[in-house]
Each structure stands twice: as C-alpha cells, then as structure tokens.
Amino acid sequence: MIRLFCFFSLLLTICNSQAQTIDSTILRKHIAYLASDKLQGRAPGTKGEKSAADYIAKEFKKYKLQAKGSKGYFQSFDYQQSENPHDTILTEGTGYTGKNVIGYLDNGAKKTIVVGAHYDHLGNDGRGSSLEGDAHGKIHNGADDNASGTAGMLELARIFATNVTKEKTNFLFIAFSAEEAGLIGSKYFTNNPTIPLESIHCMINMDMIGRLVDSTQKLLIFGVGTGDIFVDHLKKVNRKRFELVLDSSGVGPSDQTSFYLKQIPVLHFFTGQHSDYHKSTDDIEKINFKGETKVLNYIADIMRDFAIAPQIKYLETRTKESEKMSFKVTLGVMPDYAFQGQGLRLDAVNKDKPAEKAGLLAGDIVIQLGDVVVNNIYDYMNGLAKYKKGDTVTVIVKRGEESISKAVTF
C-alpha cells in the first residue's frame, strides 16, 4: 500500500510538472493561426480580427475560464482613429469597432493578477502605421507584434487553468484590441472594468516576446519601478536565465500604461526591436520558439512568486506632464531599447523617413535633439514633442568616436 501510494504521488507530481510547463508546439500552433494570411493582419473591425477573437474565446472556453466580458468573453467598443495615434478617441457608434477578449480563473482569492497581450495588428494596408514605403495590399501578419504575446498569454492561461494547484490569487487573462491605434482596448477596459480595479495585485503585459536573441539572452522588462517588490523578485526568480534590462517607467508604448495610469503596478516584457517591426515581413519563420518558451516559463515562475507575495505597493514613476505627452512628428527610426549607454541608439532607420533623408544611420546614437540633450529615450520623447510637421531641427549623433550634426526636416 505504501509503495502504491508513493507511486501515485510521484505520478501526480510528474503530471502537475508537465501541466505547468510551456509547450512550444502549442505556442507554434497559436502563432501559425493568428499570423496566417487567412486573418489578413487582424486589423480591428475586420473579419480577420473577429476570427482571431473567436479563436481566443474558444481557447478560454476549453480551459474552463469564466467569461468576463460585457457579453460572454467579449467586450466591444467603438473608436475613431486619428492620423496621430495619440489623439485616437473612444466614441459611440462610429469609426472602427474593437473587441477585447476576457477570461477569468477564479481561485477564490481576494487579489487578481491580470495577464494581457494585444492581438490586433495592422491589417493589409498598414492602417497608417506601416513602416514600409508602399504598404497597400501587403498583409502585415504581426507574428512577433503581437501574435507572440497573445500566444504566450494563451499558454499561461492553459498551464494555470489545468494544473492541480490552487494559487493564492485569481488570474484575469485579457487579449486587447486596438492597441496599435493608441492603447484603445486597454483604456476601454480600465475605464469599464469587469472586476474591481482595487482587487488587481499587478498587471503583466507581453508585447513582442518572440525574438529573443540567442547570443545575448537580453530580456527587457519595463515598469519595474511601479511596484515596491518588483526588482528584487525579478532578479531572484531569474536565476541567471537572462541578461535582464530593467526600466522603471510605467508609461510606455503598450497596454500596461493604461493600468499604470489607474495606479496599478505593471510589468511589460519585451525581447527587443527588429527591422521587421510594422512591416509585412514580420512572419512566423522569424520567431524564436525556443527563446519564447524560455521567456514564458520565466513569466510563469514570476506569476507563482507574486501569487504568494504580500500586497504589491504601487509606486509612481512618471510625471503627469510626461504621461500626457503627444507627438505630431516622427523621426522614422527604431530605438534600441536594450542600449544602456548615454543617448538613444538607433536600431534601424526606416526608408524615406526624415532620419534617412537627413543621412542618419543604424547604429548612430542620438545625443541631442534641437536644444534637448538626449541621455535616454525619455529625453528623446520630450524633445520630439516640441515639433510639428514641416519643422527643421538639428540632430547630433555619435557615430563611432565622431559627433555629427544633421538637419532633419519633419
């Protein structure tokens, strides 16, 4: 009897361990569907995005998650889109329609961890945000941006819903729509929450987690300054798996911002910028599945750690002025978010945009924009916010050991 008991105990432990491990095969299946040409780039309001929303809801139902939208798993909203995404507004009955997909794992706890990712992308015409010279008719599949994050969210939902452990926190899994239009889906949810905002322990966001660079193993985590325990716990759980690049700010270009602005501690996971960003070349063949699996197992360990952690204290990291900052112009570059030196390193310079026309190159480090000295990306954004279309500004960059001045016209 003792041997039989030990056998079944061992079997239960093995099954539990297997259930709590990210499955790269399932991950690949999710991305293959979400980033397929069939879905035509998942632009909000299109047939392709509806198919993606139905797919996500079907997975939630399979895992027996409670429907936590305003109508089943879905939370629909309407919005108008400006040429400047920062000016995009929610509205009633006009413009585009988006649809958040929301599932809830109720463990009977007082606190809830929100796990989110946006599932929309740019469609087959770029929706004005493509970085290709001629985007018309080109399907922007967004395998990394952000089928990788949505697939990761679904895998985390699966392992926590199907394990034999009842964690000391609930989990709310949200696939956001209209992120590319200016974080519209997450703004709508935080203004129309389906659980009390005060019950949220923290929010974990995944946006572009499919391109881990094997040679560096750099994982960027934004928002580490928004919770009092974040830095210590992230380092403890890491156990030298990654070279962590930590950024304190709760304000950033993804859905965690909407929760931070409601005074909720947030984390945003990101494997880095690349030359396929917002282009039709962001396809599944370029996803590093082994790397994403490793990232998700780390996030799962963090979720388990936070589940038993004391209440996470919210900390403010940005000024109100910075939070309201909007931009009328763009330089047409992709910042290297992993760069930790002084200035803003350019990971890529996009064709036919102001930076390329002025002669800026990938690898240049912007150290001054007009009269603003650029020490980091926030200085860069502060400088950029001063200009409008047609303005010309002197940009100083470091290229190797040389400082070079270029006149950039927006």
Side-chain angles (χ1 to χ4, degrees):
M1 177 66 76
I2 293 175
R3 288 182 179 179
L4 187 62
F5 175 77
C6 290
F7 171 76
F8 281 115
S9 296
L10 178 62
L11 183 63
L12 182 63
T13 300
I14 293 171
C15 291
N16 185 33
S17 175
Q18 289 175 339
Q20 291 185 340
T21 301
I22 298 296
D23 189 324
S24 61
T25 302
I26 298 175
L27 202 61
R28 182 182 291 273
K29 183 195 78 167
H30 291 327
I31 297 179
Y33 179 77
L34 294 169
S36 65
D37 286 353
K38 179 182 177 181
L39 268 59
Q40 295 283 297
R42 310 185 307 281
T46 64
K47 184 179 178 180
E49 199 209 34
K50 181 181 183 300
S51 295
D54 290 343
Y55 178 89
I56 295 163
K58 185 178 178 181
E59 293 296 306
F60 283 169
K61 186 175 182 180
K62 184 197 301 184
Y63 309 145
K64 296 181 171 57
L65 298 181
Q66 291 183 18
K68 274 291 181 177
S70 51
K71 186 176 181 181
Y73 289 108
F74 304 120
Q75 182 187 48
S76 298
F77 54 90
D78 297 316
Y79 68 97
Q80 291 178 333
Q81 185 167 1
S82 164
E83 289 184 5
N84 178 5
H86 295 273
D87 295 332
T88 301
I89 58 172
L90 288 161
T91 182
E92 294 293 331
T94 59
Y96 297 109
T97 297
K99 185 187 294 184
N100 295 330
V101 192
I102 311 171
Y104 184 60
L105 178 57
D106 187 358
N107 285 324
K110 292 183 179 180
K111 59 188 180 183
T112 297
I113 294 176
V114 175
V115 182
H118 78 89
Y119 73 101
D120 66 297
H121 197 51
L122 305 182
N124 61 7
D125 60 1
R127 285 281 173 105
S129 297
S130 175
L131 294 177
E132 294 196 32
D134 180 13
H136 183 69
K138 295 181 180 178
I139 302 173
H140 290 58
N141 283 320
D144 189 31
D145 186 13
N146 188 30
S148 67
T150 302
M153 181 270 296
L154 288 174
E155 260 298 85
L156 290 168
R158 181 187 67 83
I159 67 172
F160 281 95
T162 60
N163 65 20
V164 297
T165 302
K166 190 173 183 180
E167 288 81 11
K168 295 182 179 180
T169 183
N170 313 310
F171 297 103
L172 189 71
F173 298 95
I174 311 180
F176 298 109
S177 178
E179 187 269 358
E180 301 289 5
L183 318 185
I184 298 300
S186 55
K187 286 178 186 176
Y188 188 82
F189 175 82
T190 54
N191 287 332
N192 303 272
T194 58
I195 65 168
L197 291 182
E198 57 269 22
S199 72
I200 298 177
H201 194 40
C202 64
M203 189 271 182
I204 293 174
N205 185 48
M206 296 169 290
D207 195 345
M208 298 176 64
I209 58 170
R211 295 282 197 100
L212 185 72
V213 178
D214 290 330
S215 60
T216 65
Q217 295 293 301
K218 282 188 178 180
L219 178 62
L220 291 81
I221 309 177
F222 299 91
V224 301
T226 68
D228 62 334
I229 69 170
F230 280 163
V231 172
D232 288 342
H233 283 242
L234 289 168
K235 289 181 178 179
K236 176 190 73 175
V237 174
N238 184 40
R239 297 191 300 274
K240 298 183 179 180
R241 281 182 269 196
F242 301 98
E243 181 183 340
L244 299 180
V245 179
L246 306 180
D247 187 287
S248 64
S249 180
V251 175
S254 195
D255 291 307
Q256 79 281 357
T257 300
S258 300
F259 288 79
Y260 168 74
L261 296 179
K262 295 293 185 179
Q263 299 190 340
I264 294 168
V266 298
L267 292 172
H268 170 208
F269 291 83
F270 176 57
T271 53
Q273 195 67 274
H274 50 76
S275 60
D276 299 304
Y277 173 72
H278 279 204
K279 294 181 181 178
S280 61
T281 51
D282 182 6
D283 286 316
I284 189 171
E285 293 79 12
K286 297 177 181 179
I287 296 295
N288 180 350
F289 284 98
K290 182 179 178 181
E292 180 165 354
T293 300
K294 183 178 178 181
V295 169
L296 289 168
N297 278 319
Y298 174 50
I299 294 174
D301 286 345
I302 290 166
M303 290 167 63
R304 295 183 189 104
D305 183 72
F306 287 172
I308 59 174
Q311 186 66 38
I312 301 171
K313 182 181 178 182
Y314 164 84
L315 302 175
E316 186 173 357
T317 64
R318 301 294 293 165
T319 65
K320 296 297 181 184
E321 290 74 21
S322 295
E323 289 163 8
K324 295 177 180 178
M325 190 163 42
S326 64
F327 306 95
K328 297 180 176 64
V329 297
T330 177
L331 204 57
V333 300
M334 287 182 285
D336 178 359
Y337 292 101
F339 179 68
Q340 295 178 288
Q342 185 173 344
L344 179 83
R345 185 182 180 278
L346 307 184
D347 207 26
V349 176
N350 297 306
K351 187 176 180 181
D352 295 328
K353 298 297 183 181
E356 190 206 43
K357 291 178 180 178
L360 298 186
L361 304 174
D364 285 349
I365 300 171
V366 178
I367 57 175
Q368 189 160 339
L369 181 64
D371 59 357
V372 176
V373 174
V374 177
N375 292 302
N376 50 46
I377 193 168
Y378 305 111
D379 294 336
Y380 169 73
M381 291 191 294
N382 279 319
L384 204 61
K386 295 184 174 185
Y387 298 99
K388 63 183 184 299
K389 193 171 182 179
D391 287 349
T392 297
V393 59
T394 299
V395 177
I396 302 176
V397 301
K398 280 195 71 175
R399 185 176 296 169
E401 297 300 318
E402 187 180 4
S403 292
I404 298 172
S405 295
K406 296 287 185 180
V408 176
T409 300
F410 296 111

